[in-house]
């Protein structure tokens, strides 16, 4: 990838620049917990973005996307926004830095490429934002702290790309470390690294390549359910419960008669899922990957039967994993399509992948895409 980028950089701009990289991410466990003030548990992966960058002595950014074979040129003012959607990520990062730090940027040339599959649930967009946020901070000596770099990526999505995302993707992409997952408390934003050295196991994503239309309306309904339950718990004598993070199953049982069965199931899932993240962290401190896997299956079950955000394709992949004796498997991401994440013993890997591809294709007419991942470093300068 480096050679591919550099030959384009040299051809277009002459000479050479400095390389910066960042990464896509997975989330091992903790789904639909973020907006409930709970925990997520992401890590950066060995698929990322790489950019060669150098100051150009002008007040313009000239940037070339090697993968899309597309070029954009823009200034730093709001009205200079490029039209290409990929370039808006780079422009947005520049603008968000300027909003925070003033007129600190100067023109630069850049060529970049990546190997995070687009739109597959590994956050290629966060990899792109964090590569440039990290690089510009370093090149211009801005000393922006890492959390702020993540926020710069998040605000880029909000303000320049029309995606109203949380902080997890950019956080993981900036903070990621090889051999570590990071538990992020979505309420306090405290975080802690946990060792992830699954010797004898592999992590693999199976992308169903489906995205059901239901996703956004269902998401809003789920959020509404969570809010109803919080309101009911507050009214039942627990005014300090502000989010489901503050609730437990006892409180939920106390309001059972005052909420719908559906809202009950939604809240049950969230309360249990927040606890599962903590359980997985404990298990990792003991190197207990069997418990990690068990919790992943519990998450899948909860997402499928209680939160009801799975779909036929994802349940099918989960069933095959179970049949093959895979250690852990669950839908990753918001649901209604996308990937399953699987923790698989080395000796079962080939058999599992072969069977999953064959049986999925026989049922749904196409194979899932297979993405093995290794937990790796996030944003960094390549010396
Ligand atoms: P994801 O879930 O992978 O983040 P998004 O739709 O949020 O999917 O972001 C994908 C967008 O990010 C692409 O449409 C493109 O604009 C940009 N992008 C991602 N990877 C690359 C790349 N390698 N080269 C150029 N642009 C990219
Ligand atoms: Mg994205």
């Amino acid at each position: 990838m480096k050679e591919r980028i550099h030959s384009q950089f040299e051809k277009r701009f002459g000479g050479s620049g400095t390389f910066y990289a960042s990464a896509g991410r997975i989330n091992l466990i903790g789904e639909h917990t973020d907006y409930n003030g709970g925990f997520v548990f992401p890590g950066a992966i060995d698929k990322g973005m790489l950019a060669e960058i150098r100051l150009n002595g002008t007040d313009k950014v000239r940037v070339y996307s090697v993968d899309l074979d597309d070029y954009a040129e823009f200034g730093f003012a709001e009205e200079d926004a490029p039209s290409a959607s990929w370039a808006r990520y780079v422009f947005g990062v520049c603008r968000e830095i300027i909003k925070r730090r003033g007129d600190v940027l100067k023109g630069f040339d850049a060529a970049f490429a990546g190997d995070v599959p687009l739109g597959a649930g590994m956050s290629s967009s966060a990899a792109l934002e964090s590569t440039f946020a990290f690089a510009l901070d370093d090149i211009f000596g801005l000393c922006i702290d890492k959390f702020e770099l993540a926020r710069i990526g998040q605000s880029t999505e909000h303000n320049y790309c029309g995606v109203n995302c949380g902080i997890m993707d950019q956080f993981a992409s900036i903070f990621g470390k090889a051999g570590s997952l990071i538990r992020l408390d979505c309420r306090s934003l405290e975080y802690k690294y946990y060792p992830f050295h699954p010797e004898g196991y592999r992590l693999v994503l199976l992308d169903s390549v489906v995205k059901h239309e239901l996703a956004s309306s269902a998401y809003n309904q789920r959020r509404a359910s969570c809010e109803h339950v919080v309101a009911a718990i507050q009214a039942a004598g627990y005014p300090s419960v502000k989010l489901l993070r503050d609730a437990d199953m006892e409180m939920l049982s106390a309001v059972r008669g005052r909420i719908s069965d559906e809202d009950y199931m939604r809240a049950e899932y969230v309360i249990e899922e927040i606890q599962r993240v903590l359980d997985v962290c404990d298990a990792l401190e003991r190197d207990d990957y069997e418990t990690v896997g068990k919790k992943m299956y519990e998450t899948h079950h909860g997402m499928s039967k209680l939160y009801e955000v799975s779909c036929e394709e994802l349940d099918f992949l989960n069933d095959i994993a179970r049949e093959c004796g895979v250690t852990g498997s669950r839908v990753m991401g918001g649901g209604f399509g996308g990937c399953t994440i699987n923790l698989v013993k080395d000796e079962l890997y080939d058999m599992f992948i072969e069977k999953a591809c064959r049986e999925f294709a026989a049922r749904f007419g196409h194979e899932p895409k297979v993405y093995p991942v290794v937990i790796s470093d996030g944003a960094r300068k390549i010396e």
Side-chain angles (χ1 to χ4, degrees):
M1 188 144 80
K2 202 170 175 180
E3 290 70 36
R4 207 154 55 88
I5 293 167
H6 180 64
S7 75
Q8 290 296 331
F9 186 95
E10 198 173 22
K11 185 170 132 199
R12 275 153 212 283
F13 310 120
S16 60
T18 307
F19 280 88
Y20 293 88
S22 192
R25 63 104 190 94
I26 53 98
N27 183 34
L28 190 69
I29 198 159
E31 222 64 79
H32 290 281
T33 47
D34 53 350
Y35 53 86
N36 288 296
F39 301 98
V40 292
F41 198 39
I45 56 174
D46 58 339
K47 302 185 188 339
M49 205 67 69
L50 183 64
E52 185 171 5
I53 306 181
R54 187 191 54 201
L55 296 182
N56 63 17
T58 76
D59 55 3
K60 294 257 183 311
V61 176
R62 305 190 294 184
V63 56
Y64 178 69
S65 162
V66 177
D67 298 322
L68 303 176
D69 183 23
D70 199 12
Y71 174 79
E73 198 173 309
F74 50 82
F76 290 117
E78 198 63 36
E79 58 271 21
D80 294 328
S83 54
S85 57
W86 65 268
R88 296 180 69 88
Y89 290 96
V90 182
F91 175 75
V93 167
C94 295
R95 285 296 308 159
E96 291 298 333
I97 290 175
I98 291 165
K99 285 180 200 171
R100 288 163 172 80
R101 291 299 160 103
D103 202 7
V104 291
L105 301 182
K106 295 189 172 64
F108 61 88
D109 295 335
F112 74 97
D115 59 359
V116 187
L118 275 61
M122 284 164 262
S123 209
S124 64
S125 60
L128 177 51
E129 292 141 17
S130 47
T131 301
F132 278 89
F134 186 93
L136 296 179
D137 176 60
D138 186 68
I139 291 168
F140 295 99
L142 304 176
C143 301
I144 299 173
D145 77 63
K146 282 174 127 189
F147 233 108
E148 198 61 25
L149 291 179
R151 287 200 190 287
I152 284 167
Q154 182 193 24
S155 305
T156 296
E157 300 252 1
H158 291 185
N159 298 331
Y160 298 94
C161 309
V163 180
N164 200 7
C165 59
I167 192 72
M168 175 174 78
D169 297 354
Q170 291 77 18
F171 170 81
S173 184
I174 292 276
F175 283 80
K177 272 190 208 164
S180 294
L181 296 175
I182 325 166
R183 188 183 76 195
L184 176 66
D185 180 330
C186 295
R187 185 169 56 187
S188 68
L189 297 180
E190 284 168 357
Y191 60 92
K192 186 173 172 199
Y193 288 91
Y194 285 85
F196 188 75
H197 301 288
E199 269 163 50
Y201 299 86
R202 295 185 216 177
L203 267 185
V204 61
L205 307 191
L206 294 182
D207 183 359
S208 65
V209 210
V210 299
K211 195 76 212 167
H212 293 289
E213 281 310 312
L214 275 160
S216 71
S217 63
Y219 176 79
N220 292 333
Q221 290 162 8
R222 299 303 179 281
R223 288 193 74 142
S225 285
C226 296
E227 285 164 20
H228 289 159
V229 175
V230 166
I233 291 175
Q234 282 176 351
Y238 303 101
S240 64
V241 172
K242 303 287 184 235
L243 292 163
L244 282 179
R245 162 73 180 278
D246 305 313
D248 58 29
M249 288 303 292
E250 211 174 298
M251 297 174 189
L252 183 59
S253 300
V255 299
R256 180 153 208 167
R258 296 183 224 174
I259 57 177
S260 69
D261 289 346
E262 191 175 272
D263 285 354
Y264 181 90
M265 292 194 316
R266 305 300 190 238
E268 181 185 1
Y269 164 76
V270 171
I271 291 169
E272 289 174 351
E273 180 71 355
I274 291 170
Q275 182 59 43
R276 273 192 288 272
V277 180
L278 301 175
D279 294 344
V280 162
C281 290
D282 288 345
L284 282 179
E285 288 190 318
R286 303 188 305 268
D287 254 349
D288 176 2
Y289 288 90
E290 293 302 308
T291 296
V292 172
K294 206 170 124 247
K295 295 291 163 189
M296 292 168 74
Y297 278 113
E298 286 175 18
T299 293
H300 188 88
H301 182 268
M303 285 180 79
S304 180
K305 301 294 186 283
L306 298 176
Y307 220 59
E308 297 184 295
V309 292
S310 185
C311 61
E312 208 190 337
E313 292 88 346
L314 294 169
D315 286 345
F316 189 84
L317 288 171
N318 189 258
D319 287 343
I320 293 180
R322 200 183 283 278
E323 282 164 30
C324 290
V326 165
T327 305
S329 177
R330 69 174 194 86
V331 44
M332 191 177 86
F336 298 111
C339 295
T340 61
I341 178 167
N342 304 274
L343 180 66
V344 193
K345 284 220 168 86
D346 284 341
E347 60 268 28
L348 294 178
Y349 184 86
D350 291 343
M351 181 271 287
F352 168 54
I353 298 300
E354 188 276 326
K355 184 174 156 85
C357 289
R358 179 166 40 80
E359 294 191 3
F360 190 92
R363 172 77 173 270
F364 298 107
H366 65 271
E367 289 195 353
K369 291 195 178 144
V370 180
Y371 300 115
V373 295
V374 175
I375 302 305
S376 303
D377 288 330
R380 63 206 184 274
K381 183 176 187 171
I382 309 288
E383 300 290 352

